[in-house]
Amino acid sequence: MILFGVGGVGRALIRQIVQNRAYHAAEYGLEISILAVCDREGAVVALQGGLDDVTLLDVVEFKARRRRLSDHSQGGPQQDLAAVVDIASRPGTLLVDCTATEETVPVLTQALAQGHRVVLANKKPLTGAQEVYNRLTRAGATGSQPAARSWSASRWEATCGAGLPVMATLNRLQASGDPIERIAGAFSGTLGFVMSGLQAGQPFSAVVREAHRLGYTEPDPRDDLGGVDVARKALILARGLGWQLELADVAVTSLYPAALAELSVAEFLAALPALDDHFAEQVAAAAAQNQVLRYVARVAAGTCQVGPQAVPAASPLGQLSGADNLVEFHTRWYQPTPLVIQGRGAGADATAAGVLSDIVELAFYR
Ligand SMILES: NC(=O)c1ccc[n+]([C@@H]2O[C@H](COP(=O)([O-])OP(=O)(O)OC[C@H]3O[C@@H](n4cnc5c(N)ncnc54)[C@H](OP(=O)(O)O)[C@@H]3O)[C@@H](O)[C@H]2O)c1
């Protein structure tokens, strides 16, 4: 495999591959060779065979110190990921995208066309144009018309719910022909924390400031509160159902008004108390109906909506508290009680574990 991105997830993935070498060999007869690792500006490429574990763990430690691979003793500059793939790949090499950029799309699509395979933790390539999604997820797709579903060329479990088997479950339900009537999910630990705080009676401003202080939010909390990351996950689920939708088709309700978009982070945090009454009223109105407020991605009837929604307090989503992710699949066979998946939906190690499972699965489709 060739790894793009050596941030938190990429580093955890390398560590887990090294730690599991003996296990994968014994249980699966599998040896995962890392042929190259790339960051934004550099790469470390194996001259022969795969990179040895001493070098790999050194790269992990080097990147944890925020160094650039172009400055690594065995590294060099890279301006073009496709050139790295040309040099390092063998037939059927897996390209593992642990970056957070759409810049990887050309190399990923080109590599698939050359017979390589792809594993993504990165949502952006799957949430751009539908045509690109088709090329990345359905081997043989060429234009806007998707080809048949394929198991052999790509996996993207970690794009939705980190290591939770969300895409695997969706794919299995699809394979059995069980019609999925609707999917409802909480896909943001940060927004889960905010919603739990509101339910406990905290003012919106206080719970957002606390999440920011604890480092649960992005440095600019609007990156979480705006809901776009959740919208990307909803779109990946909807496209997984075979629907043809663009990100612009996802109706997103942000937790802050557009008027606060241009403020500095400090000004934004200072302006939040103006929203407290609005959220307290919504929480009270929901409670009067035996409901609670959750930040929900809803995929149903050909549409995707993302935003604060009142859900029955007794439902799986209603009983969720804290930062876990939770997904309900409502299908013909899973009703009135939905099929539910719940657990940690973020974190470098849990995400890397999802990526590693994809790698092991794809290895059997050689
Ligand atoms: N962390 C989580 O909990 C979680 C959960 C689910 C999914 N994910 C997804 O997993 C991916 C990785 O997350 P992360 O937390 O590891 O991100 P991160 O720490 O920001 O690391 C991103 C890595 O990608 C590299 N990169 C960026 N642009 C690149 C380019 N054009 N070519 C090659 N490398 C490039 C960066 O290089 P430099 O080191 O040179 O900057 C960095 O090594 C993201 O897409 C994220 O959304 C993360």
Side-chain angles (χ1 to χ4, degrees):
M1 58 169 267
I2 295 173
L3 176 63
F4 300 152
V6 204
V9 175
R11 294 196 303 273
L13 177 64
I14 294 173
R15 275 196 307 269
Q16 290 183 22
I17 287 173
V18 170
Q19 283 160 3
N20 282 296
R21 280 221 188 280
Y23 170 74
H24 281 140
E27 287 294 317
Y28 296 90
L30 182 65
E31 183 194 345
I32 301 173
S33 286
I34 303 185
L35 304 173
V37 294
C38 310
D39 66 8
R40 211 177 291 256
E41 292 169 8
V44 175
V45 179
L47 298 176
Q48 231 178 356
L51 293 167
D52 63 75
D53 288 351
V54 173
T55 303
L56 288 169
L57 294 176
D58 186 58
V59 163
V60 168
E61 197 260 333
F62 187 79
K63 284 301 295 178
R65 285 190 276 122
R66 303 193 175 278
R67 304 286 306 275
R68 292 182 290 201
L69 288 182
S70 50
D71 296 331
H72 188 270
S73 58
Q74 287 171 256
Q78 69 84 13
Q79 289 167 342
D80 180 11
L81 294 173
V84 176
V85 174
D86 277 349
I87 294 166
S89 69
R90 303 170 191 169
T93 291
L94 268 71
L95 309 192
V96 181
D97 185 350
C98 292
T99 73
T101 172
E102 45 282 297
E103 287 168 21
T104 54
V105 165
V107 65
L108 296 175
T109 50
Q110 187 188 340
L112 280 168
Q114 291 169 342
H116 297 310
R117 282 94 49 86
V118 162
V119 174
L120 299 153
N122 179 11
K123 292 175 277 293
K124 291 199 173 147
L126 296 180
T127 51
Q130 176 79 50
E131 185 199 341
V132 172
Y133 174 89
N134 294 345
R135 283 178 199 268
L136 291 173
T137 62
R138 299 200 178 206
T142 48
S144 57
Q145 280 312 308
R149 286 178 191 274
S150 147
W151 303 102
S152 60
S154 52
R155 290 282 189 287
W156 54 99
E157 183 62 77
T159 58
C160 207
L164 297 178
V166 176
M167 298 313 306
T169 303
L170 183 143
N171 287 338
R172 288 183 63 82
L173 291 169
Q174 294 278 97
S176 73
D178 184 6
I180 299 175
E181 282 149 23
R182 103 185 126 87
I183 304 171
F187 287 111
S188 162
T190 311
L191 298 181
F193 179 86
V194 170
M195 291 297 155
S196 294
L198 289 180
Q199 193 180 338
Q202 281 183 269
F204 180 71
S205 56
V207 70
V208 172
R209 285 175 187 165
E210 190 186 359
H212 186 248
R213 186 179 60 78
L214 294 170
Y216 292 173
T217 68
E218 295 292 328
D220 185 338
R222 284 167 291 197
D223 290 345
D224 297 295
L225 300 174
V228 173
D229 191 62
V230 178
R232 288 188 191 279
K233 294 173 184 173
L235 181 62
I236 290 170
L237 288 170
R239 286 178 166 178
L241 294 175
W243 301 353
Q244 310 270 311
L245 288 177
E246 298 295 337
L247 191 56
D249 297 324
V250 181
V252 185
T253 306
S254 164
L255 287 180
Y256 66 90
L260 303 190
E262 301 301 326
L263 303 180
S264 69
V265 171
E267 289 167 341
F268 174 74
L269 291 171
L272 284 176
L275 305 177
D276 287 348
D277 286 350
H278 165 74
F279 283 105
E281 282 161 21
Q282 283 199 33
V283 168
Q289 309 277 329
N290 254 343
Q291 296 188 322
V292 291
L293 211 56
R294 296 285 178 260
Y295 199 88
V296 177
R298 195 171 288 274
V299 178
T303 64
C304 293
Q305 283 122 24
V306 169
Q309 291 179 17
V311 300
S315 69
L317 271 172
Q319 289 179 1
L320 180 68
S321 74
D324 269 4
N325 280 195
L326 186 147
V327 198
E328 299 174 359
F329 289 96
H330 298 260
T331 80
R332 176 175 49 186
W333 306 129
Y334 291 96
Q335 58 93 8
T337 310
L339 190 166
V340 177
I341 298 167
Q342 177 181 355
R344 177 195 292 260
D349 270 309
T351 307
V355 174
L356 184 49
S357 299
D358 280 350
I359 291 170
V360 172
E361 264 187 39
L362 264 187
F364 287 93
Y365 284 91
R366 219 177 146 73

